[in-house]
Amino acid sequence: MNTYHLSNRNLVLCEGKQWNGLPLQEKYSPFILSYLESMLSIFKNAIIIMQRVCVIRFDLHLPDSYIDNSSVISRFTSSLKAQLEANYQQRLRTNPKAHHSKLGYIWTREYGINNKPHYHLVILLNADAYGTLGTIPLLNTINSQQFTADNMACRIMKAWASALQVNIIDAYKLVHFPEKCNYRIGIFQGVLDIAGFENMFHRVSYLAKANTKEFGNHQRNFGTSQLMIERN
C-alpha cells in the first residue's frame, strides 16, 4: 500500500533504510519516491556517458534579503557550464586530447531555521577531466577584484556569485562543502564499483527526503539536468 505526501498527494513516499537494493539514510525517512527514481536515472546515465564520474555534494545559501526563486539555480548551472567550457578550450590549446565533461546536476530546495530556504546540490562530472573538488581557499586569501583560483570549489563559488549577482567574498560565505563531499563512481579497470556507488547513493539520498520541503507555494523543490544518453 502506497503512502502519499500529506501536502502533495501526487508524491508517493518511500520509508526505510533501503530502496531498489540501494541504501538510504534511514534517519531522514520518508523519502519521495519520484526523487529517488530521478536521481538513480541520472547517475546511471552519467556512468554510461562518462564511465568514471566525479560526484560533488554541497549546499548553497541565500543572502538574508534575497527573494528566492528557483531560477537562481538555472543561472548557477549556466555559469558553471560556461566556466567548464572555457576551461576545456584552454586545456585543448596545450593538450589536443583533453577530456571534455558534461555537467550533470541534482538540486533540492529545503527550508531551515526561520523558514529560510536553501539549496542542496550534487554535480556530476567526467572524472577523467575533473577528479576532485580541489582545495578550498581561505577567506582571507581571496581578492574580490581578481579571483583567479581555478579548481572546482572555486568555480562553484564563482557560479553562485554570478547567479546571485554578488561579489566572490559574499558568495564564499554562502557556499558550504560538507565533510567527505567528493565521490568517484563508475567503471574502473573494466568493473563497475558497486560498493562505491552504494556508498555515494546512501550519502545523496538525503536530497530526496520529504521533511523540510514545502509544497503549495508555486515553487519547485527538486530538479535535475537532462543528462541524456547519446545515441548514434
Side-chain angles (χ1 to χ4, degrees):
M1 179 176 174
N2 291 332
T3 302
Y4 295 90
H5 197 289
L6 292 177
S7 299
N8 187 335
R9 301 290 294 177
N10 294 317
L11 297 176
V12 178
L13 299 180
C14 168
E15 299 194 42
K17 62 182 179 180
Q18 195 174 65
W19 166 78
N20 205 29
L22 292 167
L24 306 174
Q25 294 191 54
E26 186 178 16
K27 64 182 178 180
Y28 297 116
S29 180
F31 302 89
I32 298 173
L33 179 60
S34 59
Y35 292 7
L36 290 172
E37 291 171 340
S38 294
M39 290 164 61
L40 180 58
S41 177
I42 195 172
F43 287 128
K44 285 182 174 180
N45 287 355
I47 292 173
I48 291 171
I49 293 169
M50 306 174 191
Q51 287 206 318
R52 288 166 292 279
V53 183
C54 174
V55 178
I56 300 173
R57 155 88 169 84
F58 56 96
D59 305 324
L60 299 176
H61 297 271
L62 299 168
D64 289 337
S65 59
Y66 192 83
I67 299 175
D68 183 37
N69 186 299
S70 60
S71 63
V72 71
I73 295 298
S74 296
R75 297 195 298 273
F76 169 78
T77 55
S78 293
S79 176
L80 189 54
K81 286 176 183 177
Q83 291 184 66
L84 295 179
E85 184 60 28
N87 176 257
Y88 173 62
Q89 294 301 327
Q90 182 181 22
R91 289 185 289 114
L92 274 180
R93 288 195 284 270
T94 57
N95 178 13
K97 296 183 179 180
H99 292 282
H100 184 262
S101 179
K102 292 178 177 289
L103 174 66
Y105 58 85
I106 303 164
W107 65 267
T108 187
R109 178 203 279 111
E110 296 188 353
Y111 291 79
I113 299 173
N114 298 325
N115 204 36
K116 185 177 178 180
H118 59 276
Y119 293 88
H120 299 292
L121 278 90
V122 171
I123 60 172
L124 300 85
L125 303 160
N126 183 346
D128 291 336
Y130 304 104
T132 67
L133 176 67
T135 301
I136 301 170
L138 297 175
L139 180 58
N140 61 8
T141 67
I142 294 178
N143 181 343
S144 62
Q145 302 301 315
Q146 190 177 10
F147 185 62
T148 58
D150 198 29
N151 61 26
M152 199 54 62
C154 295
R155 292 187 190 101
I156 289 168
M157 293 175 196
K158 287 189 281 189
W160 196 227
S162 175
L164 295 175
Q165 296 185 316
V166 300
N167 67 49
I168 191 63
I169 292 177
D170 289 337
Y172 180 102
K173 299 173 184 177
L174 297 170
V175 178
H176 173 64
F177 298 103
E179 290 186 13
K180 299 179 181 178
C181 63
N182 200 159
Y183 295 82
R184 285 168 62 91
I185 62 171
I187 299 170
F188 300 93
Q189 297 181 334
V191 178
L192 176 64
D193 180 6
I194 295 175
F197 188 94
E198 291 177 344
N199 186 38
M200 178 278 305
F201 199 88
H202 177 265
R203 178 67 179 276
V204 304
S205 66
Y206 178 91
L207 275 69
K209 69 185 177 74
N211 190 31
T212 69
K213 294 180 175 65
E214 289 191 359
F215 298 91
N217 58 4
H218 306 290
Q219 295 276 6
R220 293 178 64 198
N221 285 315
F222 179 87
T224 71
S225 59
Q226 299 298 312
L227 188 58
M228 305 301 291
I229 301 172
E230 294 178 331
R231 301 187 185 279
N232 294 328

